Amino acid sequence: MESLITEGIQIIVNSSYEEEFSHQEISEYVFSYHIEIANENDFPVQLISRKWFVLDSKCEQYEVQGPGVIGEQPIIKQGANYEYESGTQLTSPIGRMSGYYIMKKVLTEEKFKVYIPAFDLIAPFILN
């Protein structure tokens, strides 16, 4: 688990290797990640967009960006949480992800960046 607070927004990440969807023989390694976003501010915020940086141990990297997450641009009330699950596919059993969200304060429409903590993606068989 990785956690980071930026601008009163806490991001907690848990990742898992998805063996049943991975195919070592063709270098496809699938990972899922669970994100919890906690608004510790005294005002509501809306998640507008995301940008991810994905790197694997073969030094292949790519970026993913777009509106919201999993097709949503949720409003997160003060003191509330929002959670979602997603995933990525790598060409090696070891990788790393990081990124950020663009959020806005609902009342003022002021936008700000919230960083997602870097987290490792490691297939368990690598650790043996």
Side-chain angles (χ1 to χ4, degrees):
M1 178 186 83
E2 301 296 333
S3 177
L4 183 64
I5 298 175
T6 309
E7 300 276 343
I9 305 294
Q10 181 179 30
I11 308 297
I12 301 168
V13 182
N14 284 297
S15 62
S16 299
Y17 176 63
E18 300 296 336
E19 183 176 7
E20 63 273 20
F21 301 111
S22 298
H23 304 284
Q24 292 181 42
E25 64 280 0
I26 58 172
S27 296
E28 287 181 352
Y29 302 90
V30 177
F31 296 86
S32 64
Y33 52 88
H34 179 91
I35 305 278
E36 180 178 350
I37 302 169
N39 182 2
E40 298 177 355
N41 294 297
D42 60 357
F43 50 83
V45 299
Q46 184 174 18
L47 193 160
I48 302 299
S49 63
R50 73 194 183 290
K51 185 165 188 176
W52 286 103
F53 305 98
V54 184
L55 173 69
D56 72 18
S57 60
K58 292 181 178 179
C59 293
E60 292 187 25
Q61 58 184 352
Y62 63 93
E63 296 178 7
V64 178
Q65 61 184 13
V69 291
I70 62 167
E72 299 179 1
Q73 290 181 313
I75 293 176
I76 309 166
K77 295 181 180 179
Q78 54 270 40
N81 293 2
Y82 174 80
E83 298 181 40
Y84 73 95
E85 291 203 28
S86 191
T88 193
Q89 180 177 308
L90 302 179
T91 60
S92 73
I94 300 173
R96 190 167 182 82
M97 288 181 66
S98 63
Y100 62 84
Y101 300 117
I102 299 296
M103 304 255 185
K104 77 174 180 182
K105 298 177 182 179
V106 173
L107 301 176
T108 65
E109 298 201 6
E110 175 188 347
K111 292 182 180 177
F112 60 100
K113 192 180 282 189
V114 173
Y115 291 95
I116 302 163
F119 58 97
D120 294 326
L121 303 167
I122 303 173
F125 63 84
I126 292 296
L127 302 175
N128 293 334

